[in-house]
Amino acid sequence: MNIRGLIDRTTRTFAQEGLPTPRLDAEVLLAACLQTDRSEFYIHPEREVPPDRRRRFARWVGRRRRGQPVAYITGEKEFWSLPLAVGPQVLVPRPETEILVEEVLRLASSLPADPRILEVGVGSGAVSIALATELPRARIAATDISPDALALARVNARRHGVDGRIALMAGDLFEPVRGPFDLVVSNPPYIPEGSYDGLPVEVRCEPRLALLAGPDGTDVHRRLIADGGRYLKAGGWLCLEMGEGQGGRLTAALEKAGYTDIVRRKDYGGRERVIRARWR
Ligand SMILES: C[S@@+](CC[C@H](N)C(=O)[O-])C[C@H]1O[C@@H](n2cnc3c(N)ncnc32)[C@H](O)[C@@H]1O
């Protein structure tokens, strides 16, 4: 069977399963399987797919039909135009988290030329690696409670040549680090525990530790806000990703803790996604 036939057939299969982006998924999986770029499919749709690749592709299609995220199947996800290794030990980096990176870069103009930055909950390394590539003089520390996530972040940092500038440490939130930092950034877990059963199957394939944070999804934010001041310089920034509907409660928590200059940013889907504030 040729490329066009295989993609059309797989797209129909995925659509019948109710997957939200059937053609994209089919193309991304086939491109990874053939170790090529999706643009090649439009140039040479008539190319035959060798039998060994067809067999592997069929196995991958089966995994996708069972709900596994495309990125876990291919083992890779692009973030900030950087290819990153991903697996079930980490959250799949989301495009909306690029808003968090953009906000840190916006704040960077108010920071020293060689800022000390801490990321809490580094996961695959997406945010820290993006920041290290954009801010070549930044010194970045990054923590995660999951040693398996840290191992993958290390692989990704090495792949992008920034492992010498990101100190990766295992532990609970700030526990492994010493401040003060110019900026603390985090995309913490923010899904309310009661919502877990209603999540799409592919999200439930991701580590619970990366998803869930107490009854209203703000348990980890609240700890970051409460303890952040002890790790920030005066005038330093706390910059957090958040879920829909959490902005009001987090603004109140930041004000109560004594932060100023609180700003909420929307993602490209129009949802409030990032909140940042300045330590007094
Ligand atoms: C939503 S994921 C974000 C991963 C990555 N920064 C990204 O944006 O793709 C949250 C991460 O926080 C980590 N985490 C959860 N609780 C933590 C804690 N108490 N201390 C440190 N890291 C924690 C999880 O293991 C997970 O890697």
Side-chain angles (χ1 to χ4, degrees):
M1 188 178 269
N2 66 22
I3 283 172
R4 184 192 290 120
L6 208 48
I7 288 177
D8 286 349
R9 193 178 71 184
T10 309
T11 301
R12 282 195 300 276
T13 305
F14 286 166
Q16 280 158 8
E17 296 282 345
L19 295 176
T21 53
R23 179 162 294 272
L24 179 66
D25 290 4
E27 289 184 3
V28 171
L29 287 175
L30 188 59
C33 195
L34 298 177
Q35 292 168 319
T36 186
D37 194 89
R38 276 169 59 217
S39 59
E40 282 293 307
F41 298 161
Y42 295 90
I43 304 168
H44 301 293
E46 76 298 340
R47 258 193 200 151
E48 287 299 311
V49 179
D52 61 323
R53 297 304 166 107
R54 255 188 356 238
R55 280 193 295 277
R56 180 196 286 179
F57 184 64
R59 285 196 299 276
W60 286 10
V61 168
R63 289 173 63 186
R64 182 70 189 123
R65 290 178 73 182
R66 289 193 293 280
Q68 290 187 22
V70 170
Y72 285 173
I73 300 169
T74 63
E76 192 153 295
K77 178 76 182 180
E78 200 164 280
F79 179 85
W80 204 257
S81 300
L82 302 163
L84 299 172
V86 293
Q89 64 275 50
V90 293
L91 185 97
V92 177
R94 307 290 203 268
E96 53 269 27
T97 299
E98 295 190 349
I99 304 291
L100 186 66
V101 174
E102 284 172 15
E103 187 59 23
V104 173
L105 295 179
R106 196 176 286 134
L107 297 171
S109 58
S110 72
L111 301 179
D114 56 350
R116 276 197 83 198
I117 294 176
L118 169 66
E119 185 190 6
V120 176
V122 68
S124 63
V127 171
S128 285
I129 295 169
L131 292 175
T133 60
E134 294 292 335
L135 302 171
R137 294 186 60 196
R139 294 159 296 157
I140 300 174
T143 70
D144 204 291
I145 203 158
S146 157
D148 293 340
L150 284 165
L152 201 57
R154 202 161 280 124
V155 168
N156 284 321
R158 205 174 299 133
R159 177 176 184 178
H160 292 290
V162 293
D163 48 323
R165 291 198 296 113
I166 304 176
L168 292 161
M169 286 166 277
D172 182 25
L173 300 191
F174 299 101
E175 179 255 325
V177 298
R178 267 167 181 253
F181 293 92
D182 295 291
L183 186 143
V184 173
V185 58
S186 183
N187 171 18
Y190 56 72
I191 296 178
E193 263 154 26
S195 310
Y196 185 76
D197 290 343
L199 294 173
V201 180
E202 65 182 303
V203 177
R204 279 185 277 134
C205 289
E206 297 180 278
R208 291 173 80 104
L209 204 53
L211 299 172
L212 303 179
D216 73 349
T218 62
D219 275 13
V220 181
H221 292 87
R222 288 177 191 284
R223 290 180 60 207
L224 288 165
I225 290 168
D227 295 344
R230 282 194 279 127
Y231 295 89
L232 281 168
K233 292 181 187 167
W237 294 99
L238 180 64
C239 197
L240 305 174
E241 183 165 326
M242 63 181 171
E244 212 173 356
Q246 294 176 343
R249 274 166 287 154
L250 294 180
T251 298
L254 285 160
E255 281 170 351
K256 193 163 169 232
Y259 291 81
T260 62
D261 300 301
I262 301 166
V263 170
R264 285 149 43 182
R265 301 256 182 230
K266 290 186 175 157
D267 63 22
Y268 295 114
R271 295 184 190 86
E272 281 192 340
R273 185 63 65 185
V274 166
I275 187 163
R276 58 91 159 149
R278 190 166 219 169
W279 184 238
R280 57 182 172 233

